[in-house]
């Protein structure tokens, strides 16, 4: 029983991180129809900012908020420089642009920082383990679950109870009509990218809290899995992104915990097989969007 609870905590922690990343992708996709693969590079940049703030003598509690703010500003800047000029182009052009931005940022990390992993100093609290009556769980995993829940609830309230949030929801339903109603498209899109950057930064901090290092390719695998989670839940659906992220985390941890030793090398393939099986049954995802995203 203790082992099961421990793995359940690990699944919630990993699924929460995937959910944060998946929502960051879904927020932008729901408005622009763009899968932003540069999302992973923002995760990596967060890690390097934590390294730089630590080398400057700032504690983690100060460095983490600084990293989040810088990443939000960076996401808005990326939208202005890279994505706004191709906003009216085809979906393929926008997708290639996001790939190009991601690759350029990864090359910049390798050329101007390091190709090797950099250690991120963590406070002692994040490296301790709690014994909860027969099973142990890391404090960092508990914090990951709590932070993920708080951020998701706060985002839900923002979208439902603020004027800008309502404008974003309207834009996700019908972008052209929203513009005709006098809502400034640039503000809505910039806000979507800022929220996406916020979620990427928070997810990165939680990811680094569990691995204690950053390298130029750190964000690649998590963002690819977040894309899988977004597709699993239903492209363009924020609720689907949450469900897909949590489900993907549960599948990965369950397979890692209970697969026979000989089958562990095939864990990734089995995970993708389960996802494909779900999509065969429900091609629109577990919770499909109400309408097709605006291109």
């Amino acid at each position: 029983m203790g082992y099961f609870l421990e793995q359940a905590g690990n699944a919630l922690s990993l699924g929460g991180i995937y959910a944060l990343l998946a929502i960051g992708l879904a927020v932008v996709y729901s408005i622009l129809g763009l899968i932003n693969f540069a999302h992973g590079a923002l995760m990596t940049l967060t890690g390097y900012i934590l390294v730089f703030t630590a080398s400057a003598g700032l504690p983690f509690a100060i460095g983490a908020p600084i990293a989040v703010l810088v990443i939000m500003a960076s996401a808005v800047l990326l939208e202005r420089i890279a994505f706004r000029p191709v906003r009216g182009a085809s979906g393929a052009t926008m997708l290639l642009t996001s790939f190009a931005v991601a690759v350029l940022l990864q090359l910049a990390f390798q050329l101007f920082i390091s190709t090797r992993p950099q250690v991120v100093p963590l406070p002692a609290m994040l490296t301790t383990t709690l014994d909860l009556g027969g099973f142990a769980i890391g404090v960092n995993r508990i914090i990951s679950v709590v932070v993920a829940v708080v951020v998701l609830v706060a985002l839900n309230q923002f979208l439902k109870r603020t004027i800008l949030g309502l404008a974003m929801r309207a834009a996700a339903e019908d972008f052209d009509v929203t513009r005709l109603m006098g809502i400034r498209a640039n503000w809505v899109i910039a806000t979507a990218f800022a929220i996406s950057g916020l979620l990427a930064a928070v997810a990165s901090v939680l990811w680094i809290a569990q691995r204690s290092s950053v390298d130029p390719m750190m964000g690649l695998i998590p963002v690819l899995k977040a894309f899988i989670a977004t597709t699993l839940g239903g492209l363009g659906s924020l609720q689907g992104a949450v469900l897909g992220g949590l489900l993907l985390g549960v599948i990965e941890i369950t397979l890692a915990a209970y697969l026979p030793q000989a089958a562990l090398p095939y864990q990734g393939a089995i995970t993708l097989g389960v996802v494909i099986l779900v999509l065969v049954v429900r091609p629109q995802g577990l919770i499909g969007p109400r309408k097709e995203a605006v291109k």
Side-chain angles (χ1 to χ4, degrees), residues 177-201:
V177 171
T178 302
R179 296 179 67 180
L180 291 174
M181 293 175 65
I183 296 175
R184 297 177 62 183
N186 288 340
W187 277 104
V188 172
I189 294 172
T191 302
F193 272 86
I195 292 175
S196 178
L198 167 68
L199 295 171

Side-chain angles (χ1 to χ4, degrees), residues 120-141:
V120 179
L122 297 175
M125 179 184 68
L126 292 179
T127 59
T128 57
T129 302
L130 295 180
D131 187 355
L132 302 176
F135 73 97
I137 186 170
V139 172
N140 53 11
R141 298 189 183 277

